């Protein structure tokens, strides 16, 4: 197959941005995207457009990141295609009104339910667009200008597949992004770094626009003395090889029980030789750093470290190549630990025990996107019980099942998507009740004049606690439970029974 020519990235003229946004907002208010079949047709057409552009996606990511075809297909095109198939099979089930749970008997006659309403017009990048379409929103997509070939292919896919009155793409850098953020949105979904995430959240605040932030984090791997050194090394090295470590879920540093450090280091060296017999630079299976700025930032982290390089360490700025680099550091304040690398750096800090590791991890960043505990069930459960994170892979690195909710907490962001969560994050769960006319005789208790009505209202409505003043739970006998229709005094039960009788008359 011949070389694929991908055009240069053309920024959207700033004067066009407001008109594009207005167009998709107008379409939403015409209710075009409310129709579930319309949404499904859009998603199906998007599936085939991604299929048709698979080679362009491979070439774009090779050009932008030196990304191997295997990684591109596994983590980009196949992931998106599978997500569309999953959504298509489940969307009719997801959009159905839900019967409201845990409703008191008094209110059951009002047919309480939850409807999933689209939010409106949303701003995002390509990953979450599937959920936004499925949920019935109109969408403006803003790709990252840091991956220009990928941004061009994204535009080709969107324009080949999607209705332009509902879904549009805006290309650009800071000025174009600022123009977009000046608009009023119904939701903004941002994936990137915490610095830009704060700018997005600040820009959204004046309009009270809800924001989902997927920000990555300074993710720790905690290696207890019960861990298997070979699994630790192979799995965590793989976590740093995907896209040369430029993955928000890859571990930022390892806290390793001191007794296990020599064995873990030895296994890293073995795994590196096995994965790259001729070294990473000569391998077709190893990506490059996205741009010069990111390269220099990573180089600075290594240069400023007090640690000792145990494996790798070679760099070539012209080629934007940084070898997977294993460094043993001696302080939690080392530059390799306290900054998010977003690159192929693997610092190891020896620790005396799990408690020390947990304290260090919580002090560096207490809410990372990912946490990777290795060891026995007891050890990993202890780590889980004393830490927080967006997600956890026990005895593995950066693993995420595609249909599980994915998102951060605290410093690593908020909101989640993937699978069903991609739909849920773009809908408003709208409670709806319907009060039939025949309920009027019961509802009349709420109208003035109120004289004599409060005791009746309490008899029918007040819930008796199932706990005493010291906070201990009180267990009701089964006979009393039946006689009081669910707890409380006999009088309250009689009141409830009266409501039931009135409803059946």
């Amino acid at each position: 197959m011949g070389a694929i020519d991908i055009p240069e990235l053309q920024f959207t003229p700033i004067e066009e941005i407001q008109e594009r946004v207005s167009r998709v907002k107008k379409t939403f208010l015409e209710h075009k995207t409310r129709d579930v079949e319309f949404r499904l047709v859009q998603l199906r057409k998007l599936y085939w457009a991604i299929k048709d552009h698979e080679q362009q996606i491979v070439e774009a990511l090779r050009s932008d990141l030196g990304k191997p075809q295997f990684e591109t297909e596994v983590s980009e095109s196949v992931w998106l295609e599978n997500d569309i198939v999953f959504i298509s099979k489940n969307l009719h089930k997801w959009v159905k009104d839900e019967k409201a749970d845990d409703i008191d008997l008094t209110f059951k006659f009002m047919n309480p339910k939850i409807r999933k309403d689209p939010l409106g017009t949303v701003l995002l990048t390509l990953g979450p667009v599937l959920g936004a379409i499925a949920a019935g929103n109109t969408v403006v997509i803003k790709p990252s200008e840091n991956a220009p070939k990928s941004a061009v292919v994204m535009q080709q896919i969107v324009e080949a597949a999607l209705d332009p009155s509902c879904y549009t793409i805006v290309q650009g850098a800071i000025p174009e992004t600022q123009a977009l953020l000046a608009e009023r949105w119904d939701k903004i979904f941002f994936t990137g770094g915490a610095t830009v995430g704060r700018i997005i959240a600040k820009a959204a605040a004046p309009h009270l626009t809800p924001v989902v932030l997927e920000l990555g984090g300074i993710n720790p791997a905690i290696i207890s003395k019960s861990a298997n050194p070979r699994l630790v090394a192979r799995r965590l090295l793989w976590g740093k090889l995907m896209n040369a470590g430029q993955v928000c879920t890859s571990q930022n540093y390892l806290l390793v029980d001191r007794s296990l450090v020599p064995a873990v280091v030895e296994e890293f060296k073995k795994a590196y030789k096995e994965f790259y017999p001729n070294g990473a630079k000569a391998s077709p299976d190893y990506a490059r750093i996205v741009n010069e700025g990111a390269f220099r930032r990573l180089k600075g982290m290594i240069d400023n470290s007090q640690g000792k390089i145990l494996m790798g360490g070679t760099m070539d700025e012209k080629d934007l190549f940084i070898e997977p680099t294993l460094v043993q550091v001696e302080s939690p304040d080392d530059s390799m630990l306290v900054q998010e690398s977003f690159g192929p750096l693997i610092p190891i800090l020896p620790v005396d025990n799990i408690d020390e590791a947990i304290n260090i991890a919580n002090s560096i960043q207490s809410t990372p996107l990912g946490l990777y505990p290795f060891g026995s069930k007891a050890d990993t459960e202890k780590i889980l019980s004393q830490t927080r994170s967006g997600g956890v892979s026990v005895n593995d690195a950066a693993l995420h099942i595609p249909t599980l909710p994915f998102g951060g907490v605290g410093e690593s962001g908020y909101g989640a998507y993937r699978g069903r969560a991609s739909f849920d994050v773009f809908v408003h769960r709208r409670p709806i009740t319907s009060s039939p006319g025949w309920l009027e005789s019961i509802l009349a208790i709420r109208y003035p004049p109120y004289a004599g009505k409060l005791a009746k209202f309490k008899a029918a409505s007040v819930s008796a606690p199932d706990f005493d003043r010291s906070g201990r739970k009180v267990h009701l006998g089964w006979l009393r439970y039946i006689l009081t229709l669910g707890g409380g005094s006999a009088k309250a039960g009689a009141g409830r029974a009266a409501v039931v009788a009135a409803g059946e008359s």
Side-chain angles (χ1 to χ4, degrees):
M1 183 177 158
I4 294 169
D5 183 40
I6 298 173
E8 292 301 308
L9 176 60
Q10 302 292 320
F11 287 5
T12 305
I14 286 195
E15 59 273 14
E16 285 184 20
I17 290 175
Q18 191 171 34
E19 186 277 325
R20 288 193 187 205
V21 176
S22 297
R23 184 176 74 226
V24 295
K25 283 185 174 182
K26 181 172 177 287
T27 305
F28 180 76
L29 293 175
E30 291 165 355
H31 315 301
K32 190 171 183 177
T33 56
R34 290 267 183 172
D35 179 59
V36 178
E37 279 306 314
F38 174 83
R39 306 177 201 176
L40 284 167
V41 167
Q42 297 301 305
L43 287 166
R44 291 164 186 155
K45 287 167 77 174
L46 185 59
Y47 174 93
W48 290 111
I50 294 168
K51 267 277 186 225
D52 293 343
H53 287 80
E54 279 179 349
Q55 285 309 310
Q56 285 92 334
I57 294 169
V58 168
E59 177 57 28
L61 284 160
R62 189 203 60 73
S63 175
D64 288 336
L65 290 156
K67 194 164 182 170
Q69 181 169 347
F70 177 87
E71 290 184 10
T72 294
E73 298 216 14
V74 167
S75 66
E76 307 287 347
S77 49
V78 170
W79 188 303
L80 285 168
E81 289 158 10
N82 284 350
D83 232 7
I84 292 173
V85 172
F86 178 75
I87 291 169
S88 296
K89 287 178 176 175
N90 288 283
L91 187 57
H92 277 294
K93 177 177 70 179
W94 297 344
V95 298
K96 277 183 183 170
D97 288 352
E98 278 178 26
K99 195 173 178 183
D101 293 328
D102 304 320
I103 300 298
D104 192 88
L105 185 64
T106 317
F107 300 110
K108 284 209 182 274
F109 304 112
M110 294 165 182
N111 189 28
K113 60 190 174 188
I114 306 293
R115 181 158 295 169
K116 289 68 160 275
D117 272 1
L119 291 171
T121 300
V122 297
L123 174 65
L124 43 76
T125 187
L126 190 61
V129 76
L130 307 181
I133 295 171
N137 300 279
T138 58
V139 183
V140 176
I141 300 164
K142 167 61 180 72
S144 171
E145 71 279 12
N146 290 324
K149 296 293 187 186
S150 301
V152 170
V153 174
M154 217 179 281
Q155 184 168 342
Q156 291 174 340
I157 291 169
V158 166
E159 291 178 352
L162 298 179
D163 184 323
S165 71
C166 306
Y167 317 101
T168 191
I169 194 159
V170 170
Q171 303 282 17
I174 292 172
E176 292 77 14
T177 303
Q178 286 173 333
L180 283 169
L181 290 175
E183 298 289 328
R184 182 186 288 271
W185 302 95
D186 295 297
K187 193 158 212 171
I188 299 172
F189 193 117
F190 171 74
T191 303
T195 302
V196 180
R198 286 181 169 86
I199 294 168
I200 302 283
K202 193 173 180 182
H207 297 310
L208 298 179
T209 299
V211 178
V212 177
L213 298 176
E214 297 289 354
L215 303 179
I218 306 176
N219 308 318
I222 299 178
I223 319 304
S224 73
K225 63 184 176 185
S226 58
N228 178 328
R230 183 171 184 269
L231 292 187
V232 168
R234 288 169 66 83
R235 293 177 179 183
L236 290 177
L237 184 58
W238 168 78
K240 275 298 182 190
L241 300 180
M242 282 288 287
N243 206 27
Q246 296 164 107
V247 179
C248 58
T249 50
S250 69
Q251 77 281 1
N252 208 71
Y253 60 92
L254 282 65
L255 301 170
V256 183
D257 189 279
R258 204 174 295 278
S259 65
L260 220 61
V261 170
V264 166
V265 169
E266 194 55 39
E267 290 294 344
F268 264 111
K269 291 176 179 176
K270 283 184 193 171
Y272 180 57
K273 279 184 184 157
E274 184 185 329
F275 295 171
Y276 302 123
N278 300 313
K281 191 169 190 186
S283 172
D285 299 331
Y286 186 71
R288 297 300 186 260
I289 305 305
V290 65
N291 55 35
E292 289 88 350
F295 179 94
R296 290 187 193 118
R297 182 181 55 76
L298 288 163
K299 184 178 185 300
M301 285 180 68
I302 297 172
D303 292 345
N304 295 326
S305 173
Q306 303 299 307
K308 180 184 176 188
I309 294 177
L310 304 178
M311 183 188 88
T314 65
M315 300 180 212
D316 180 350
E317 185 166 0
K318 196 174 168 188
D319 189 32
L320 295 176
F321 167 79
I322 295 180
E323 188 178 12
T325 301
L326 183 67
V327 182
Q328 185 167 330
V329 300
E330 297 303 329
S331 165
D333 302 322
D334 195 277
S335 60
M336 300 277 276
L337 269 63
V338 296
Q339 300 170 45
E340 184 184 359
S341 63
F342 207 65
L345 311 183
I346 312 168
I348 286 181
L349 176 66
V351 293
D352 291 329
N353 50 49
I354 291 175
D355 293 321
E356 185 187 5
I358 290 168
N359 288 337
I360 290 171
N362 284 337
S363 67
I364 289 175
Q365 188 186 84
S366 61
T367 53
L369 182 61
L371 171 73
Y372 309 108
F374 283 76
S376 65
K377 192 169 191 301
D379 286 346
T380 56
E381 278 299 325
K382 180 175 182 177
I383 293 164
L384 287 179
S385 71
Q386 297 180 28
T387 54
R388 292 174 292 165
S389 65
V392 180
S393 294
V394 176
N395 288 315
D396 209 344
L399 177 71
H400 186 78
I401 295 170
T403 51
L404 269 180
F406 174 84
V409 61
E411 282 282 307
S412 55
Y414 42 80
Y417 74 122
R418 302 268 166 86
R420 167 72 189 260
S422 291
F423 171 82
D424 289 339
V425 78
F426 287 111
V427 294
H428 167 60
R429 293 175 61 81
R430 187 184 191 185
I432 299 172
T433 58
S434 303
S435 301
W438 60 262
L439 267 181
E440 189 61 14
S441 59
I442 295 170
L443 295 177
I445 197 169
R446 67 191 180 181
Y447 305 139
Y450 298 135
K453 290 183 175 178
L454 188 57
K456 290 178 187 173
F457 175 81
K458 284 184 173 180
S461 306
V462 171
S463 299
D466 61 349
F467 48 85
D468 63 20
R469 288 177 177 274
S470 65
R472 286 191 296 263
K473 187 168 173 66
V474 175
H475 295 283
L476 301 173
W478 64 269
L479 183 60
R480 185 177 176 191
Y481 187 89
I482 292 169
L483 291 174
T484 61
L485 294 184
S489 66
K491 189 177 177 185
R496 288 190 182 87
V499 170
V500 174
E504 289 172 349
S505 63

